Amino acid sequence: MTAPLLDVVRLKKHYPLPGGMFRRGPGSVVHAVEDVSFQVPSGGTLGLIGESGCGKSTTAKLLLRLEDVSDGAIRFDGTEVQRATGPQLRAYRRNVQAVFQDPYSSLSPRRRIGDAIAEPLIAAGELTKEQISERVAELLRVVGLREDAANLYPHEFSGGQRQRIAIARGIALRPRLVILDEPVSALDVSIRAQILNLLQDLQERYGLSYLLISHDLDIVSHMCTDVVVMYLGRVVEAGSMKAVRRSPQHPYTKALFSSVLPAHPDRRPERIKLLGPLPSPINPPSGCVFRTRCPHAQAICAEQVPASVDTGVSRAACHFATPAAVS
Amino acid sequence: MSKADAMAAKVLPLMPEPTPSEPLVEVRDLRIQLRSRDGARLLNVVNGVSFPLHRGRTLGIVGESGCGKSTTALALMGLLPGSARVAGGQVQFAGENLLAKSEKEMRELRGAKISMIFQDPMVALDPLFTIGDQLAEPLERHLKLSGAALRERQVSLLQAVSIPSPETRLGQYPHQMSGGMLQRVVGAIAIACNPALLIADEPTTALDPTAQAQFLDLLARLRDTYQLALIVVTHDFGVTARLCDDVLVMYAGSVVERGPVREIFDHPRHPYTQALLAAIPQAQEDRQGRLRTIEGQPPDLARLPQGCAFAPRCPNVRPKCHELPPPLREMGDGHVASCWRAGEV
Ligand SMILES: Nc1ncnc2c1ncn2[C@@H]1O[C@H](COP(=O)(O)OP(=O)(O)O)[C@@H](O)[C@H]1O
Ligand SMILES: Nc1ncnc2c1ncn2[C@@H]1O[C@H](COP(=O)(O)OP(=O)(O)O)[C@@H](O)[C@H]1O
Ligand SMILES: [Mg+2]
Ligand SMILES: [Mg+2]
């Protein structure tokens, strides 16, 4: 087995709550990311899934070094980068790029597309002007746009084309890992398919690794080699995509996949309904954070944080997960 | 009847049902033009949409963005933008043509007999008012409720949409609730005055899978309990499969295909429908498998091709397709398709 490209170890992000009208007492914080560990395999795609507010985007921001970690380690290619500064941070940032849901918000309306794509190349300061415009033309071709698109403005493109532009910008510096946060959520089915195919082509061509955040579990299943399931800031299950989809081990993962709508009226899987509301990340439940909505919760679930158990299928953080038989 | 159904049934008396054989809604050859936002061009946004809809039944309207789904829905609500012109057709609702009604008459119907739910619950909700105030508005306006009767109805409506501790929730503001919960509040407002027709435009697009599944359950339950005629506008075939009896597929403002949901999924006749279905990533598909795509882009609505609007992108195109628009042809069992080659096997 090859070493993982990215190794995330017990990552934490706590946001202190501001004082004032809604003060909830000193020291109260949002537990946005709590003890999160996972690995992105080299050349693979890791899916990060879970309901809104479970900490997916915060995790992405920590990995992109847009926010500082509260605790834990981020190892990229064997080197710790969570506190890197100066040239080391710059080198890391070249290697780890991002594509977000809404390319419109990340493209300035008054800047030509060519300039937007050139921006990271100019900032890197390694290429001449001619080399940069050649590279921009090449990138446009690679993502399936015409070279003369460089002279146009964002509003002259459709949503799918803008996402292609964002991808071109994301891969401009030849990164090794691209973080995709809901990259196709705003797109129509057929355009979505084009972008997903493009992402797979680029992965093959450049040996890219992806971290894919999406609430569309069919897309995650289609794209990912591995998956991490988060709930209220914590990882509840992680493993190979195929295995987890076929046989989820954690009760939350089971409920999550059971809510996927099959694309046929005659396929109606049994849905597992979660009890009650999603608790607040300011006061997460003691022990297992999922226990307040879990159909199988027992006394122990309120007392101890469950350790992650190797079930043979995946690793699941549940007191009642069955460990794999030792062979 | 489940507890929730019983609860919901208690809320409202049913509107007397018309003879079941007669559709509640009958849209005939609806045509709408819109002036483009820069004012320079006239867009043919809806080009001859027809469908019947009975009470207790659900029609899904699917198609890529910009194909005219929302404009069709807004025409039924009498909420077309000022730049719109109805170029032809009828919207029959309980025997009357809504397109012939005045704005005043439509205001009486909207929120009372016809309601609509939008993708973003905050379109319908005002952040400055409590949930209770917002629920009270249609009840006071259309049903003239007040005092204890109003309060009782507010509470039972929140119960009908499965919102726990309704008394507490009535005093809360939108920001105190999750997206899924807010969409259910919008659902409660939409059914407040016992409508016969409910239109939901991408109602779950902004929700998580778990919240989405719950909200679709709710819509199905409300439809069954109140015998609502339900129109669901969506680009998600999963939503269609879950909820709809019939499906209407739109392309560039035209109906390319319409029929019973199983027919559409199992025997799609139009190449556009076939392509859309093939583009969905399926769970069981191999990771390496590439998704099917539809090359090209929808046509400019200001200059539609003279033949079939899909012809420039169609894999099965024939010379005739570029010359004449194909009529909607009966395929049997209420399944119609507008393709010159739909009859071929
Ligand atoms: N800057 C911030 N300050 C305070 N709380 C935040 C901040 N960013 C995110 N959160 C909170 O952290 C939690 C996780 O959010 P996020 O990572 O955006 O979730 P997801 O992407 O899974 O929807 C949420 O409860 C969110 O409200
Ligand atoms: N108020 C408006 N003014 C001008 N054009 C509009 C307006 N609303 C919609 N359109 C145009 O009409 C077409 C159909 O829009 P819409 O009915 O919203 O499609 P859908 O709901 O299927 O995405 C699109 O090309 C859109 O840009
Ligand atoms: Mg997010
Ligand atoms: Mg729309």
Side-chain angles (χ1 to χ4, degrees):
Chain A
M1 213 193 126
T2 50
L5 180 64
L6 186 79
D7 189 8
V8 174
V9 187
R10 309 201 66 167
L11 207 57
K12 278 193 184 132
K13 181 65 187 179
H14 293 176
Y15 290 107
L17 284 175
M21 217 160 63
F22 299 112
R23 185 191 292 281
R24 290 165 216 257
S28 71
V29 296
V30 180
H31 299 250
V33 172
E34 195 67 51
D35 242 341
V36 164
S37 301
F38 59 79
Q39 303 180 331
V40 180
S42 193
T45 301
L46 176 80
L48 196 54
I49 61 175
E51 284 161 285
S52 358
C54 73
K56 304 180 298 294
S57 294
T58 304
T59 303
K61 283 184 211 148
L62 295 174
L63 298 181
L64 290 164
R65 288 292 314 268
L66 298 173
E67 300 256 8
D68 287 327
V69 306
S70 303
D71 198 12
I74 302 169
R75 285 197 202 101
F76 184 79
D77 215 5
T79 310
E80 289 206 359
V81 294
Q82 72 276 9
R83 310 231 180 267
T85 53
Q88 201 198 0
L89 178 60
R90 273 203 298 283
Y92 173 68
R93 285 203 167 132
R94 293 186 68 129
N95 273 317
V96 182
Q97 295 282 321
V99 173
F100 296 103
Q101 170 172 353
D102 177 15
Y104 214 50
S105 62
S106 57
L107 294 170
S108 156
R110 272 182 287 280
R111 197 156 44 150
R112 290 175 204 274
I113 290 313
D115 297 335
I117 298 174
E119 184 195 63
L121 295 165
I122 295 169
E126 290 159 8
L127 301 180
T128 64
K129 251 187 153 168
E130 286 88 82
Q131 285 171 321
I132 287 177
S133 51
E134 267 169 43
R135 175 84 177 129
V136 168
E138 180 196 348
L139 285 164
L140 286 170
R141 265 199 318 275
V142 164
V143 298
L145 292 171
R146 288 162 39 155
E147 287 174 28
D148 53 14
N151 299 316
L152 304 177
Y153 292 92
H155 75 264
E156 297 176 83
F157 295 90
S158 67
Q161 290 170 327
R162 283 198 291 264
Q163 202 54 298
R164 288 176 191 271
I165 294 162
I167 291 169
R169 196 156 75 150
I171 62 170
L173 291 170
R174 307 183 198 280
R176 297 176 62 195
L177 173 66
V178 182
I179 295 178
L180 308 161
D181 193 346
E182 301 281 2
V184 294
S185 306
L187 305 176
D188 277 312
V189 185
S190 66
I191 312 292
R192 199 176 272 193
Q194 291 175 4
I195 298 293
L196 295 176
N197 285 346
L198 171 65
L199 288 169
Q200 285 190 338
D201 291 345
L202 295 174
Q203 177 164 50
E204 238 163 72
R205 188 158 169 182
Y206 301 114
L208 291 171
S209 305
Y210 291 139
L211 180 83
L212 172 64
I213 295 174
S214 173
H215 66 251
D216 186 323
L217 300 178
D218 282 334
I219 289 177
V220 171
S221 305
H222 177 75
M223 294 289 288
C224 297
T225 48
D226 300 80
V227 68
V228 167
V229 187
M230 289 181 72
Y231 180 82
L232 219 62
R234 289 182 182 265
V235 174
V236 293
E237 183 161 2
S240 101
M241 183 70 237
K242 264 201 183 122
V244 171
R245 176 88 203 221
R246 197 180 310 127
S247 169
Q249 300 293 300
H250 194 285
Y252 177 66
T253 317
K254 287 181 192 169
L256 195 58
F257 280 115
S258 82
S259 68
V260 174
L261 298 172
H264 195 282
D266 292 334
R267 293 213 314 269
R268 284 274 167 90
E270 184 76 18
R271 240 205 17 263
I272 301 166
K273 290 185 187 160
L274 297 180
L275 317 166
L278 186 68
S280 155
I282 298 164
N283 266 317
S286 65
C288 172
V289 282
F290 184 57
R291 69 174 164 84
T292 56
R293 302 173 79 194
C294 181
H296 313 294
Q298 305 287 323
I300 185 178
C301 305
E303 289 153 17
Q304 286 174 31
V305 176
S308 184
V309 176
D310 182 356
T311 63
V313 173
S314 63
R315 298 190 61 84
C318 172
H319 288 297
F320 301 101
T322 324
V326 186
S327 54
Chain B
M1 204 187 246
S2 75
K3 199 176 134 204
D5 286 344
M7 185 76 82
K10 208 184 69 187
V11 182
L12 305 164
L14 291 180
M15 198 170 105
E17 263 188 81
T19 19
S21 62
E22 269 192 29
L24 175 76
V25 181
E26 177 103 52
V27 174
R28 294 197 197 110
D29 199 32
L30 182 64
R31 290 167 190 276
I32 298 164
Q33 293 180 322
L34 275 172
R35 176 91 15 222
S36 65
R37 285 181 225 275
D38 60 14
R41 296 167 329 134
L42 199 57
L43 308 175
N44 301 291
V45 170
V46 178
N47 306 308
V49 166
S50 303
F51 61 84
L53 182 61
H54 290 81
R55 292 200 71 159
R57 308 277 293 177
T58 305
L59 173 76
I61 303 184
V62 300
E64 286 168 281
S65 21
C67 72
K69 304 183 295 295
S70 295
T71 304
T72 303
L74 292 173
L76 269 64
M77 289 291 289
L79 286 177
L80 286 171
S83 59
R85 187 178 81 89
V86 176
Q90 294 181 356
V91 176
Q92 294 289 332
F93 173 80
E96 295 182 287
N97 183 10
L98 295 186
L99 298 181
K101 290 203 174 285
S102 68
E103 170 52 24
K104 186 163 171 286
E105 290 169 314
M106 282 311 291
R107 245 193 320 248
E108 291 300 307
L109 281 175
R110 261 199 310 271
K113 294 288 160 247
I114 309 176
S115 288
M116 187 153 172
I117 296 174
F118 297 90
Q119 171 175 338
D120 178 359
M122 289 313 291
V123 167
L125 298 173
D126 189 325
L128 300 179
F129 289 87
T130 63
I131 301 304
D133 289 340
Q134 315 203 37
L135 255 178
E137 203 270 339
L139 295 172
E140 291 166 347
R141 191 146 71 91
H142 297 293
L143 302 185
K144 316 284 180 237
L145 290 185
S146 63
L150 174 66
R151 178 81 182 174
E152 194 181 318
R153 179 68 156 250
Q154 287 170 310
V155 170
S156 49
L157 280 166
L158 288 189
Q159 281 166 344
V161 296
S162 311
I163 288 186
S165 3
E167 281 89 356
T168 320
R169 292 298 182 183
L170 284 176
Q172 291 188 333
Y173 290 87
H175 77 266
Q176 293 170 288
M177 302 170 99
S178 71
M181 191 88 89
L182 288 178
Q183 198 59 305
R184 279 184 273 155
V185 170
V186 172
I189 295 173
I191 60 158
C193 301
N194 190 18
L197 171 64
L198 178 63
I199 303 172
D201 191 348
E202 305 273 5
T204 59
T205 304
L207 302 182
D208 280 319
T210 43
Q212 156 160 303
Q214 278 174 24
F215 193 75
L216 296 178
D217 285 353
L218 172 68
L219 281 180
R221 187 157 58 71
L222 295 175
R223 171 197 62 204
D224 296 343
T225 336
Y226 304 124
Q227 287 299 295
L228 292 171
L230 180 61
I231 296 177
V232 182
V233 170
T234 178
H235 62 262
D236 184 341
F237 275 102
V239 172
T240 313
R242 165 69 187 85
L243 214 53
C244 299
D245 301 296
D246 294 289
V247 182
L248 186 159
V249 185
M250 281 183 81
Y251 184 78
S254 298
V255 178
V256 295
E257 182 157 13
R258 169 164 57 77
V261 65
R262 280 180 184 75
E263 272 289 300
I264 298 291
F265 276 93
D266 293 337
H267 308 290
R269 297 301 190 107
H270 198 285
Y272 179 64
T273 315
Q274 293 165 356
L276 278 183
L277 285 166
I280 308 171
Q282 291 285 342
Q284 49 282 71
E285 197 178 359
D286 185 34
R287 173 182 134 77
Q288 264 65 40
R290 289 177 63 83
L291 297 169
R292 264 192 54 191
T293 59
I294 309 173
E295 295 311 314
Q297 282 174 39
D300 180 352
L301 296 176
R303 292 182 302 144
L304 286 172
Q306 74 172 56
C308 170
F310 188 60
R313 301 171 80 185
C314 183
N316 307 339
V317 69
R318 289 288 176 276
K320 183 179 193 177
C321 306
H322 291 297
E323 288 154 22
L324 277 175
L328 266 183
R329 286 195 287 172
E330 187 67 47
M331 300 284 127
D333 294 329
H335 187 173
V336 292
S338 97
C339 173
W340 285 117
R341 308 189 63 200
E344 299 173 19
V345 189

